[in-house]
Amino acid sequence: MEFEVTQQVETLWQYTQNATFATIAEREYQNGGQGPLGVPNGAAFAVYRAPDSVFEAVNDTFHTSLPADRGHLLFQYSTSTFQATTPNVSIVSPFVGLTQPQDHGHMLLASADYHDAPLIYSNYFGSAGDKAAILHGYKRVREVFTNPANAPVVVRELYPGTNVTSDADLWKAITGGSLSFHHPMGTVSLGTVVEGKTFRIKGLDGIRVIDSSTFPYPPTCHPMATVYAYAYHAAQLIKGQDI
């Protein structure tokens, strides 16, 4: 989704179109990395667990059976546009990520030549429960941004637009504007391809794999911190094995 916002909100548009804003932002950044240029775009996010009723409507028991502290969705935003045809105005783009998908894709070798790119089948929103979760998430995003409390900073909804109200039309907009989070994982998961205590690929000598590709299922948010902790743990085990 995309919303036009007032000049009170620090956005990429403000930096590129407002010379005064850009000058101040650059000065703040040079003074110890402060200001809007000193933080990652959209650094704030929230993890959310959808109500069971969302999944009961499509006879999905996978999401409702997850541990009670496991969120289904990640809410985040970017202070820039993701669309090529948006108006030349200040924009904030909230988006939703499915952190605990029921279905999954797969990857195949294209040939025996490792130079050839693999064949990747992402299978986003592959189950009825996954689709229901994302649809519910974007409805919640719209509720937040159209809440009267945000009226002083939110001007209007740009994408998909207030005329998009039915589930079918909203789903068409979601799939038409979806992008990858660029956090692939699980292609050689622990216990199936990689041994769980030695981190060696089964059937091969001299190679270990320690990264997000070995995760048996995704963590509830961005995997970077999990990779750090996992790599440290694996290093301690490997160091003990090699002594």
Side-chain angles (χ1 to χ4, degrees), residues 190 195-200 208-211 214 226-243:
L190 289 168
E195 294 174 350
K197 294 183 178 180
T198 66
F199 308 98
R200 297 183 185 276
R208 287 184 169 103
V209 181
I210 303 170
D211 59 19
T214 65
T226 307
V227 170
Y228 289 165
Y230 169 58
Y232 178 82
H233 172 70
Q236 303 310 304
L237 292 178
I238 293 171
K239 184 169 63 175
Q241 294 164 10
D242 290 346
I243 292 177

PDB file of all heavy atoms in Angstrom, residues 190 195-200 208-211 214 226-243:
ATOM      1  N   LEU A 190      18.303 -28.280   8.248  1.00  0.00           N
ATOM      2  CA  LEU A 190      18.861 -29.190   9.247  1.00  0.00           C
ATOM      3  C   LEU A 190      18.004 -30.448   9.363  1.00  0.00           C
ATOM      4  O   LEU A 190      16.771 -30.386   9.359  1.00  0.00           O
ATOM      5  CB  LEU A 190      18.932 -28.498  10.607  1.00  0.00           C
ATOM      6  CG  LEU A 190      19.980 -27.398  10.775  1.00  0.00           C
ATOM      7  CD1 LEU A 190      19.725 -26.627  12.056  1.00  0.00           C
ATOM      8  CD2 LEU A 190      21.373 -27.999  10.783  1.00  0.00           C
ATOM      9  N   GLU A 195      23.442 -32.331   8.535  1.00  0.00           N
ATOM     10  CA  GLU A 195      23.410 -32.997   9.835  1.00  0.00           C
ATOM     11  C   GLU A 195      23.276 -31.964  10.950  1.00  0.00           C
ATOM     12  O   GLU A 195      23.926 -30.917  10.925  1.00  0.00           O
ATOM     13  CB  GLU A 195      24.689 -33.814  10.028  1.00  0.00           C
ATOM     14  CG  GLU A 195      24.815 -34.978   9.049  1.00  0.00           C
ATOM     15  CD  GLU A 195      26.151 -35.687   9.168  1.00  0.00           C
ATOM     16  OE1 GLU A 195      27.034 -35.156   9.859  1.00  0.00           O
ATOM     17  OE2 GLU A 195      26.304 -36.772   8.580  1.00  0.00           O
ATOM     18  N   GLY A 196      22.436 -32.272  11.928  1.00  0.00           N
ATOM     19  CA  GLY A 196      22.079 -31.288  12.929  1.00  0.00           C
ATOM     20  C   GLY A 196      23.152 -30.914  13.925  1.00  0.00           C
ATOM     21  O   GLY A 196      23.082 -29.846  14.526  1.00  0.00           O
ATOM     22  N   LYS A 197      24.178 -31.756  14.137  1.00  0.00           N
ATOM     23  CA  LYS A 197      25.189 -31.443  15.136  1.00  0.00           C
ATOM     24  C   LYS A 197      26.562 -31.158  14.534  1.00  0.00           C
ATOM     25  O   LYS A 197      27.394 -30.508  15.168  1.00  0.00           O
ATOM     26  CB  LYS A 197      25.303 -32.578  16.146  1.00  0.00           C
ATOM     27  CG  LYS A 197      24.049 -32.746  16.997  1.00  0.00           C
ATOM     28  CD  LYS A 197      24.231 -33.840  18.048  1.00  0.00           C
ATOM     29  CE  LYS A 197      22.993 -33.968  18.924  1.00  0.00           C
ATOM     30  NZ  LYS A 197      23.156 -35.020  19.958  1.00  0.00           N
ATOM     31  N   THR A 198      26.813 -31.644  13.329  1.00  0.00           N
ATOM     32  CA  THR A 198      28.105 -31.394  12.686  1.00  0.00           C
ATOM     33  C   THR A 198      28.004 -30.349  11.591  1.00  0.00           C
ATOM     34  O   THR A 198      29.006 -29.803  11.159  1.00  0.00           O
ATOM     35  CB  THR A 198      28.665 -32.685  12.068  1.00  0.00           C
ATOM     36  OG1 THR A 198      27.816 -33.103  10.991  1.00  0.00           O
ATOM     37  CG2 THR A 198      28.751 -33.792  13.107  1.00  0.00           C
ATOM     38  N   PHE A 199      26.787 -30.090  11.130  1.00  0.00           N
ATOM     39  CA  PHE A 199      26.523 -29.106  10.068  1.00  0.00           C
ATOM     40  C   PHE A 199      27.167 -29.502   8.746  1.00  0.00           C
ATOM     41  O   PHE A 199      27.409 -28.667   7.885  1.00  0.00           O
ATOM     42  CB  PHE A 199      26.987 -27.699  10.502  1.00  0.00           C
ATOM     43  CG  PHE A 199      26.437 -27.310  11.838  1.00  0.00           C
ATOM     44  CD1 PHE A 199      27.203 -27.454  12.993  1.00  0.00           C
ATOM     45  CD2 PHE A 199      25.140 -26.844  11.961  1.00  0.00           C
ATOM     46  CE1 PHE A 199      26.687 -27.129  14.233  1.00  0.00           C
ATOM     47  CE2 PHE A 199      24.622 -26.515  13.206  1.00  0.00           C
ATOM     48  CZ  PHE A 199      25.394 -26.648  14.339  1.00  0.00           C
ATOM     49  N   ARG A 200      27.428 -30.797   8.584  1.00  0.00           N
ATOM     50  CA  ARG A 200      27.964 -31.314   7.325  1.00  0.00           C
ATOM     51  C   ARG A 200      26.808 -31.716   6.403  1.00  0.00           C
ATOM     52  O   ARG A 200      25.775 -32.199   6.873  1.00  0.00           O
ATOM     53  CB  ARG A 200      28.859 -32.529   7.579  1.00  0.00           C
ATOM     54  CG  ARG A 200      30.104 -32.241   8.410  1.00  0.00           C
ATOM     55  CD  ARG A 200      30.947 -33.500   8.520  1.00  0.00           C
ATOM     56  NE  ARG A 200      32.081 -33.324   9.402  1.00  0.00           N
ATOM     57  CZ  ARG A 200      33.248 -32.792   9.019  1.00  0.00           C
ATOM     58  NH1 ARG A 200      33.400 -32.387   7.780  1.00  0.00           N
ATOM     59  NH2 ARG A 200      34.244 -32.666   9.890  1.00  0.00           N
ATOM     60  N   ARG A 208      30.720 -27.888   5.223  1.00  0.00           N
ATOM     61  CA  ARG A 208      29.686 -27.591   6.206  1.00  0.00           C
ATOM     62  C   ARG A 208      28.887 -26.378   5.714  1.00  0.00           C
ATOM     63  O   ARG A 208      29.416 -25.520   5.018  1.00  0.00           O
ATOM     64  CB  ARG A 208      30.296 -27.273   7.572  1.00  0.00           C
ATOM     65  CG  ARG A 208      30.870 -28.466   8.341  1.00  0.00           C
ATOM     66  CD  ARG A 208      31.342 -28.000   9.702  1.00  0.00           C
ATOM     67  NE  ARG A 208      31.658 -29.097  10.607  1.00  0.00           N
ATOM     68  CZ  ARG A 208      32.886 -29.501  10.895  1.00  0.00           C
ATOM     69  NH1 ARG A 208      33.940 -28.924  10.317  1.00  0.00           N
ATOM     70  NH2 ARG A 208      33.080 -30.474  11.745  1.00  0.00           N
ATOM     71  N   VAL A 209      27.648 -26.300   6.131  1.00  0.00           N
ATOM     72  CA  VAL A 209      26.795 -25.162   5.773  1.00  0.00           C
ATOM     73  C   VAL A 209      26.219 -24.580   7.052  1.00  0.00           C
ATOM     74  O   VAL A 209      25.578 -25.294   7.829  1.00  0.00           O
ATOM     75  CB  VAL A 209      25.663 -25.568   4.816  1.00  0.00           C
ATOM     76  CG1 VAL A 209      24.809 -24.343   4.461  1.00  0.00           C
ATOM     77  CG2 VAL A 209      26.226 -26.195   3.553  1.00  0.00           C
ATOM     78  N   ILE A 210      26.458 -23.291   7.273  1.00  0.00           N
ATOM     79  CA  ILE A 210      25.942 -22.617   8.477  1.00  0.00           C
ATOM     80  C   ILE A 210      25.412 -21.251   8.045  1.00  0.00           C
ATOM     81  O   ILE A 210      26.153 -20.261   8.018  1.00  0.00           O
ATOM     82  CB  ILE A 210      27.035 -22.455   9.548  1.00  0.00           C
ATOM     83  CG1 ILE A 210      27.626 -23.809   9.905  1.00  0.00           C
ATOM     84  CG2 ILE A 210      26.458 -21.790  10.793  1.00  0.00           C
ATOM     85  CD1 ILE A 210      28.871 -23.715  10.766  1.00  0.00           C
ATOM     86  N   ASP A 211      24.181 -21.197   7.666  1.00  0.00           N
ATOM     87  CA  ASP A 211      23.523 -19.932   7.331  1.00  0.00           C
ATOM     88  C   ASP A 211      22.022 -20.167   7.315  1.00  0.00           C
ATOM     89  O   ASP A 211      21.544 -21.236   7.717  1.00  0.00           O
ATOM     90  CB  ASP A 211      24.024 -19.372   5.993  1.00  0.00           C
ATOM     91  CG  ASP A 211      23.801 -20.317   4.828  1.00  0.00           C
ATOM     92  OD1 ASP A 211      22.955 -21.231   4.952  1.00  0.00           O
ATOM     93  OD2 ASP A 211      24.469 -20.149   3.793  1.00  0.00           O
ATOM     94  N   THR A 214      19.951 -23.391   6.148  1.00  0.00           N
ATOM     95  CA  THR A 214      19.783 -24.601   6.947  1.00  0.00           C
ATOM     96  C   THR A 214      18.623 -24.502   7.947  1.00  0.00           C
ATOM     97  O   THR A 214      18.352 -25.468   8.656  1.00  0.00           O
ATOM     98  CB  THR A 214      21.068 -24.920   7.726  1.00  0.00           C
ATOM     99  OG1 THR A 214      21.315 -23.873   8.685  1.00  0.00           O
ATOM    100  CG2 THR A 214      22.257 -25.043   6.792  1.00  0.00           C
ATOM    101  N   THR A 226      19.096 -14.080  14.196  1.00  0.00           N
ATOM    102  CA  THR A 226      19.080 -15.525  14.364  1.00  0.00           C
ATOM    103  C   THR A 226      20.315 -16.159  13.729  1.00  0.00           C
ATOM    104  O   THR A 226      20.910 -17.092  14.282  1.00  0.00           O
ATOM    105  CB  THR A 226      17.806 -16.121  13.752  1.00  0.00           C
ATOM    106  OG1 THR A 226      16.668 -15.455  14.288  1.00  0.00           O
ATOM    107  CG2 THR A 226      17.696 -17.601  14.044  1.00  0.00           C
ATOM    108  N   VAL A 227      20.717 -15.660  12.561  1.00  0.00           N
ATOM    109  CA  VAL A 227      21.912 -16.174  11.886  1.00  0.00           C
ATOM    110  C   VAL A 227      23.145 -15.937  12.756  1.00  0.00           C
ATOM    111  O   VAL A 227      24.003 -16.816  12.891  1.00  0.00           O
ATOM    112  CB  VAL A 227      22.092 -15.519  10.508  1.00  0.00           C
ATOM    113  CG1 VAL A 227      23.453 -15.858   9.910  1.00  0.00           C
ATOM    114  CG2 VAL A 227      20.988 -15.975   9.558  1.00  0.00           C
ATOM    115  N   TYR A 228      23.249 -14.767  13.356  1.00  0.00           N
ATOM    116  CA  TYR A 228      24.397 -14.469  14.226  1.00  0.00           C
ATOM    117  C   TYR A 228      24.477 -15.465  15.387  1.00  0.00           C
ATOM    118  O   TYR A 228      25.540 -16.034  15.675  1.00  0.00           O
ATOM    119  CB  TYR A 228      24.295 -13.051  14.784  1.00  0.00           C
ATOM    120  CG  TYR A 228      24.533 -11.945  13.792  1.00  0.00           C
ATOM    121  CD1 TYR A 228      24.176 -10.636  14.081  1.00  0.00           C
ATOM    122  CD2 TYR A 228      25.117 -12.198  12.553  1.00  0.00           C
ATOM    123  CE1 TYR A 228      24.394  -9.617  13.178  1.00  0.00           C
ATOM    124  CE2 TYR A 228      25.329 -11.178  11.647  1.00  0.00           C
ATOM    125  CZ  TYR A 228      24.971  -9.892  11.958  1.00  0.00           C
ATOM    126  OH  TYR A 228      25.179  -8.880  11.057  1.00  0.00           O
ATOM    127  N   ALA A 229      23.348 -15.647  16.064  1.00  0.00           N
ATOM    128  CA  ALA A 229      23.332 -16.542  17.226  1.00  0.00           C
ATOM    129  C   ALA A 229      23.591 -17.988  16.801  1.00  0.00           C
ATOM    130  O   ALA A 229      24.343 -18.722  17.461  1.00  0.00           O
ATOM    131  CB  ALA A 229      21.986 -16.431  17.939  1.00  0.00           C
ATOM    132  N   TYR A 230      22.991 -18.380  15.707  1.00  0.00           N
ATOM    133  CA  TYR A 230      23.151 -19.737  15.190  1.00  0.00           C
ATOM    134  C   TYR A 230      24.601 -19.994  14.779  1.00  0.00           C
ATOM    135  O   TYR A 230      25.173 -21.056  15.088  1.00  0.00           O
ATOM    136  CB  TYR A 230      22.188 -19.913  14.024  1.00  0.00           C
ATOM    137  CG  TYR A 230      22.373 -21.153  13.194  1.00  0.00           C
ATOM    138  CD1 TYR A 230      22.312 -22.418  13.768  1.00  0.00           C
ATOM    139  CD2 TYR A 230      22.566 -21.066  11.816  1.00  0.00           C
ATOM    140  CE1 TYR A 230      22.449 -23.562  12.999  1.00  0.00           C
ATOM    141  CE2 TYR A 230      22.710 -22.204  11.045  1.00  0.00           C
ATOM    142  CZ  TYR A 230      22.655 -23.443  11.634  1.00  0.00           C
ATOM    143  OH  TYR A 230      22.790 -24.569  10.868  1.00  0.00           O
ATOM    144  N   ALA A 231      25.212 -19.046  14.107  1.00  0.00           N
ATOM    145  CA  ALA A 231      26.602 -19.212  13.668  1.00  0.00           C
ATOM    146  C   ALA A 231      27.549 -19.311  14.860  1.00  0.00           C
ATOM    147  O   ALA A 231      28.496 -20.119  14.849  1.00  0.00           O
ATOM    148  CB  ALA A 231      27.003 -18.045  12.766  1.00  0.00           C
ATOM    149  N   TYR A 232      27.297 -18.515  15.885  1.00  0.00           N
ATOM    150  CA  TYR A 232      28.138 -18.589  17.091  1.00  0.00           C
ATOM    151  C   TYR A 232      28.002 -19.961  17.748  1.00  0.00           C
ATOM    152  O   TYR A 232      28.998 -20.588  18.132  1.00  0.00           O
ATOM    153  CB  TYR A 232      27.753 -17.492  18.069  1.00  0.00           C
ATOM    154  CG  TYR A 232      28.539 -17.540  19.365  1.00  0.00           C
ATOM    155  CD1 TYR A 232      29.815 -16.985  19.432  1.00  0.00           C
ATOM    156  CD2 TYR A 232      28.015 -18.155  20.497  1.00  0.00           C
ATOM    157  CE1 TYR A 232      30.553 -17.043  20.615  1.00  0.00           C
ATOM    158  CE2 TYR A 232      28.743 -18.220  21.676  1.00  0.00           C
ATOM    159  CZ  TYR A 232      30.015 -17.663  21.725  1.00  0.00           C
ATOM    160  OH  TYR A 232      30.741 -17.731  22.877  1.00  0.00           O
ATOM    161  N   HIS A 233      26.775 -20.434  17.889  1.00  0.00           N
ATOM    162  CA  HIS A 233      26.533 -21.745  18.499  1.00  0.00           C
ATOM    163  C   HIS A 233      27.218 -22.854  17.690  1.00  0.00           C
ATOM    164  O   HIS A 233      27.884 -23.729  18.252  1.00  0.00           O
ATOM    165  CB  HIS A 233      25.026 -21.990  18.574  1.00  0.00           C
ATOM    166  CG  HIS A 233      24.641 -23.372  18.994  1.00  0.00           C
ATOM    167  ND1 HIS A 233      24.840 -23.851  20.276  1.00  0.00           N
ATOM    168  CD2 HIS A 233      24.078 -24.395  18.304  1.00  0.00           C
ATOM    169  CE1 HIS A 233      24.421 -25.094  20.364  1.00  0.00           C
ATOM    170  NE2 HIS A 233      23.949 -25.451  19.172  1.00  0.00           N
ATOM    171  N   ALA A 234      27.053 -22.793  16.366  1.00  0.00           N
ATOM    172  CA  ALA A 234      27.662 -23.816  15.514  1.00  0.00           C
ATOM    173  C   ALA A 234      29.186 -23.775  15.603  1.00  0.00           C
ATOM    174  O   ALA A 234      29.847 -24.821  15.611  1.00  0.00           O
ATOM    175  CB  ALA A 234      27.217 -23.608  14.070  1.00  0.00           C
ATOM    176  N   ALA A 235      29.746 -22.582  15.672  1.00  0.00           N
ATOM    177  CA  ALA A 235      31.207 -22.449  15.754  1.00  0.00           C
ATOM    178  C   ALA A 235      31.745 -23.106  17.011  1.00  0.00           C
ATOM    179  O   ALA A 235      32.806 -23.750  16.985  1.00  0.00           O
ATOM    180  CB  ALA A 235      31.597 -20.974  15.708  1.00  0.00           C
ATOM    181  N   GLN A 236      31.031 -22.962  18.121  1.00  0.00           N
ATOM    182  CA  GLN A 236      31.476 -23.590  19.366  1.00  0.00           C
ATOM    183  C   GLN A 236      31.445 -25.110  19.261  1.00  0.00           C
ATOM    184  O   GLN A 236      32.364 -25.810  19.722  1.00  0.00           O
ATOM    185  CB  GLN A 236      30.595 -23.127  20.535  1.00  0.00           C
ATOM    186  CG  GLN A 236      30.540 -21.621  20.735  1.00  0.00           C
ATOM    187  CD  GLN A 236      31.911 -20.975  20.768  1.00  0.00           C
ATOM    188  OE1 GLN A 236      32.760 -21.348  21.571  1.00  0.00           O
ATOM    189  NE2 GLN A 236      32.143 -20.021  19.880  1.00  0.00           N
ATOM    190  N   LEU A 237      30.388 -25.635  18.627  1.00  0.00           N
ATOM    191  CA  LEU A 237      30.294 -27.084  18.456  1.00  0.00           C
ATOM    192  C   LEU A 237      31.388 -27.612  17.532  1.00  0.00           C
ATOM    193  O   LEU A 237      32.029 -28.631  17.816  1.00  0.00           O
ATOM    194  CB  LEU A 237      28.916 -27.459  17.896  1.00  0.00           C
ATOM    195  CG  LEU A 237      27.715 -27.252  18.823  1.00  0.00           C
ATOM    196  CD1 LEU A 237      26.426 -27.623  18.092  1.00  0.00           C
ATOM    197  CD2 LEU A 237      27.858 -28.085  20.085  1.00  0.00           C
ATOM    198  N   ILE A 238      31.606 -26.912  16.437  1.00  0.00           N
ATOM    199  CA  ILE A 238      32.619 -27.357  15.472  1.00  0.00           C
ATOM    200  C   ILE A 238      34.012 -27.280  16.080  1.00  0.00           C
ATOM    201  O   ILE A 238      34.841 -28.170  15.886  1.00  0.00           O
ATOM    202  CB  ILE A 238      32.539 -26.511  14.190  1.00  0.00           C
ATOM    203  CG1 ILE A 238      31.224 -26.801  13.464  1.00  0.00           C
ATOM    204  CG2 ILE A 238      33.728 -26.773  13.269  1.00  0.00           C
ATOM    205  CD1 ILE A 238      30.946 -25.862  12.316  1.00  0.00           C
ATOM    206  N   LYS A 239      34.276 -26.229  16.842  1.00  0.00           N
ATOM    207  CA  LYS A 239      35.576 -26.090  17.484  1.00  0.00           C
ATOM    208  C   LYS A 239      35.837 -27.260  18.417  1.00  0.00           C
ATOM    209  O   LYS A 239      36.936 -27.807  18.463  1.00  0.00           O
ATOM    210  CB  LYS A 239      35.638 -24.771  18.251  1.00  0.00           C
ATOM    211  CG  LYS A 239      37.000 -24.488  18.876  1.00  0.00           C
ATOM    212  CD  LYS A 239      37.053 -23.055  19.387  1.00  0.00           C
ATOM    213  CE  LYS A 239      36.047 -22.784  20.493  1.00  0.00           C
ATOM    214  NZ  LYS A 239      36.200 -21.426  21.065  1.00  0.00           N
ATOM    215  N   GLY A 240      34.793 -27.689  19.139  1.00  0.00           N
ATOM    216  CA  GLY A 240      34.947 -28.838  20.023  1.00  0.00           C
ATOM    217  C   GLY A 240      35.141 -30.137  19.260  1.00  0.00           C
ATOM    218  O   GLY A 240      35.886 -31.020  19.690  1.00  0.00           O
ATOM    219  N   GLN A 241      34.497 -30.263  18.097  1.00  0.00           N
ATOM    220  CA  GLN A 241      34.631 -31.478  17.304  1.00  0.00           C
ATOM    221  C   GLN A 241      36.003 -31.604  16.680  1.00  0.00           C
ATOM    222  O   GLN A 241      36.523 -32.698  16.491  1.00  0.00           O
ATOM    223  CB  GLN A 241      33.559 -31.481  16.197  1.00  0.00           C
ATOM    224  CG  GLN A 241      32.125 -31.571  16.713  1.00  0.00           C
ATOM    225  CD  GLN A 241      31.115 -31.196  15.658  1.00  0.00           C
ATOM    226  OE1 GLN A 241      31.448 -31.042  14.482  1.00  0.00           O
ATOM    227  NE2 GLN A 241      29.861 -31.044  16.067  1.00  0.00           N
ATOM    228  N   ASP A 242      36.627 -30.476  16.352  1.00  0.00           N
ATOM    229  CA  ASP A 242      37.902 -30.486  15.637  1.00  0.00           C
ATOM    230  C   ASP A 242      39.097 -30.552  16.568  1.00  0.00           C
ATOM    231  O   ASP A 242      40.230 -30.659  16.099  1.00  0.00           O
ATOM    232  CB  ASP A 242      38.019 -29.241  14.748  1.00  0.00           C
ATOM    233  CG  ASP A 242      37.060 -29.316  13.567  1.00  0.00           C
ATOM    234  OD1 ASP A 242      36.533 -30.406  13.313  1.00  0.00           O
ATOM    235  OD2 ASP A 242      36.846 -28.285  12.905  1.00  0.00           O
ATOM    236  N   ILE A 243      38.884 -30.462  17.881  1.00  0.00           N
ATOM    237  CA  ILE A 243      40.020 -30.530  18.809  1.00  0.00           C
ATOM    238  C   ILE A 243      40.522 -31.970  18.913  1.00  0.00           C
ATOM    239  O   ILE A 243      39.735 -32.903  19.061  1.00  0.00           O
ATOM    240  CB  ILE A 243      39.609 -30.016  20.201  1.00  0.00           C
ATOM    241  CG1 ILE A 243      39.329 -28.499  20.121  1.00  0.00           C
ATOM    242  CG2 ILE A 243      40.676 -30.305  21.244  1.00  0.00           C
ATOM    243  CD1 ILE A 243      38.835 -27.902  21.417  1.00  0.00           C
TER     244      ILE A 243
END
